[in-house]
């Protein structure tokens, strides 16, 4: 081989190796989760909301989904756990100062932590408080509260200590919250998201029945009680008294009116000609084959 002007094949040309599986770019995944709506895939714009799993959405996209479930094809997979606007929380985000210019790159974070001024771009874990919606970095909130805030929603378990003993005050708006059940992580890892989903299902199983069902049951009970009282009020074995008869004066007037109409009908028929009378048939007359359309005419098939 060689010296003939051709090419010399290499091993990589003769032996084909199995191609490696393509791996998603983690940087692009992080950017999509923190800068774009999880449902509509559009850039995040206030008002921004979050669900019990910590995903970020544009509020208008959630409203469109609740009004029409077919607006987004993968909505059931992404936010099928959102039943109404009560299942989301509007976030109180702190914009960075100065704000990024409009023509800047999409990777520049628009919001920061109000305690540590860390950018909300996925580099640091962020959390939000369910009672007020304020957003902080996890490290900043831990520093203010004095110890690591237990994320009870992620674990799905409640602390045995009484909730009243664990009430804290939001460092931004002074709203009280529970450290064990009111702190939610934003865009958590997959394992943490599964724990948050389990905790959400546990909370929903403890919710009381809807009020509409209670009202319906109460109305049925009232109706049964009224029916029972009616039965007790009427003597057994006797049917309820019939409705009172009509006024005799009214019945006499109606009879006289019917008689006068019958007399007028007899007078009208008496003045009719034989041709007009032939169009009408009495009660005792035999039925006719022909109708008023074919009467007095010759038809082949009559």
């Amino acid at each position: 081989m060689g010296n003939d002007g051709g090419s010399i094949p290499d091993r990589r040309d003769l032996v084909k190796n199995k191609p490696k599986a393509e791996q998603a770019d983690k940087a692009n995944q992080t950017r999509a989760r923190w800068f774009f709506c999880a449902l509509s895939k559009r850039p995040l714009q206030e008002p921004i909301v979050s669900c019990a799993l910590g995903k970020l959405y544009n509020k208008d996209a959630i409203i469109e989904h609740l009004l029409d479930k077919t607006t987004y094809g993968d909505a059931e997979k992404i936010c099928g756990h959102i039943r109404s606007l009560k299942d989301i929380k509007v976030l109180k985000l702190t914009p960075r100062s100065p704000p990024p210019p409009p023509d800047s790159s999409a990777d520049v974070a628009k919001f920061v932590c109000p305690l540590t001024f860390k950018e909300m771009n996925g580099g640091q874990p962020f959390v939000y408080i369910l009672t007020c919606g304020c957003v902080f970095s996890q490290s900043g909130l831990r520093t203010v509260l004095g110890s690591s805030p237990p994320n009870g929603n992620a674990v799905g378990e409640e602390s045995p200590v009484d909730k009243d003993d664990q009430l804290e005050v939001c460092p931004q708006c002074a709203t009280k919250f529970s450290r064990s059940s009111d702190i939610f992580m934003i865009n958590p890892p997959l394992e943490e998201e599964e724990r948050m989903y389990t905790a959400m299902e546990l909370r929903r199983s403890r919710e009381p029945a809807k009020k509409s069902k209670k009202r319906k049951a109460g109305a049925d009970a009232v109706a049964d009680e009224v029916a029972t009282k009616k039965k007790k009020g009427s003597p057994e074995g006797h049917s309820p008294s019939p409705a009172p008869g009509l006024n005799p004066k009214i019945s006499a007037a109606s009879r006289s009116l019917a008689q006068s109409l019958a007399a007028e009908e007899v007078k009208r028929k008496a003045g009719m000609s034989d041709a007009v009378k032939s169009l009408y048939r009495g009660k005792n007359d035999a039925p006719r084959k022909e109708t008023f359309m074919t009467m007095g005419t010759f038809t082949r098939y009559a």
Side-chain angles (χ1 to χ4, degrees), residues 83 203-214:
R83 304 166 297 181
R203 287 194 306 273
R204 290 183 177 180
S205 63
R206 296 175 180 175
E207 291 179 357
K210 293 183 178 180
K211 293 183 179 179
S212 60
K213 294 183 179 179
K214 292 183 179 179

Side-chain angles (χ1 to χ4, degrees), residues 146-166:
S147 61
S148 176
N151 192 353
N153 291 283
V155 179
E157 299 178 356
E158 292 186 357
S159 176
V161 185
D162 189 9
K163 291 183 179 180
D164 296 336
D165 299 336
Q166 296 183 0

Side-chain angles (χ1 to χ4, degrees), residues 169-200:
V169 177
C170 175
Q172 188 174 13
C173 64
T175 302
K176 292 185 178 181
F177 67 93
S178 173
R179 297 177 61 181
S180 61
S181 60
D182 291 336
I183 299 177
F184 288 80
M185 181 177 289
I186 298 177
N187 288 328
L190 183 59
E191 296 180 358
E192 194 77 8
E193 183 178 341
E194 293 177 354
R195 296 174 185 173
M196 294 173 71
Y197 185 83
T198 304
M200 178 189 67

Side-chain angles (χ1 to χ4, degrees), residues 245-266:
L246 296 174
N247 193 339
K249 294 182 179 180
I250 298 175
S251 59
S254 61
R255 283 196 299 270
S256 62
L257 179 61
Q259 293 174 0
S260 62
L261 291 176
E264 290 180 1
E265 182 69 15
V266 171

Side-chain angles (χ1 to χ4, degrees), residues 3 5 42 103 110 125 184 198 208 217 294 299:
N3 295 329
R42 292 193 291 262
D103 55 349
K110 298 180 180 179
F184 288 80
T198 304
T294 61
T299 54

Side-chain angles (χ1 to χ4, degrees), residues 3-111:
N3 295 329
D4 56 355
S7 60
I8 300 176
D10 197 0
R11 183 180 183 276
R12 60 187 174 184
D13 298 327
L14 301 175
V15 180
K16 299 296 182 182
N17 295 327
K18 184 179 179 181
K20 295 182 179 179
E22 295 183 0
Q23 295 182 355
D25 189 356
K26 293 184 178 180
N28 285 337
Q29 287 183 341
T30 302
R31 177 172 172 269
R33 297 175 68 187
W34 289 90
F35 293 95
F36 294 87
C37 172
L39 180 59
S40 65
K41 309 300 186 293
R42 292 193 291 262
L44 288 172
Q45 294 180 352
E46 292 188 286
I48 299 173
V49 298
S50 183
C51 61
L53 303 183
K55 298 179 181 180
L56 298 177
Y57 311 91
N58 289 329
K59 188 175 181 180
D60 57 353
I62 294 295
I63 294 176
E64 290 176 4
H65 165 67
L66 294 176
L67 294 176
D68 185 6
K69 301 291 185 180
T70 61
T71 304
Y72 304 99
D74 55 350
E76 190 64 28
K77 180 180 179 181
I78 297 174
C79 58
H81 57 283
I82 298 178
R83 304 166 297 181
S84 65
L85 292 179
K86 294 182 180 180
D87 294 333
I88 59 176
K89 183 67 179 179
V90 179
L91 302 181
K92 297 179 181 178
L93 298 167
T94 304
R96 63 179 300 169
S97 181
D103 55 349
S104 62
S105 174
D107 294 338
V108 178
K110 298 180 180 179
F111 308 103

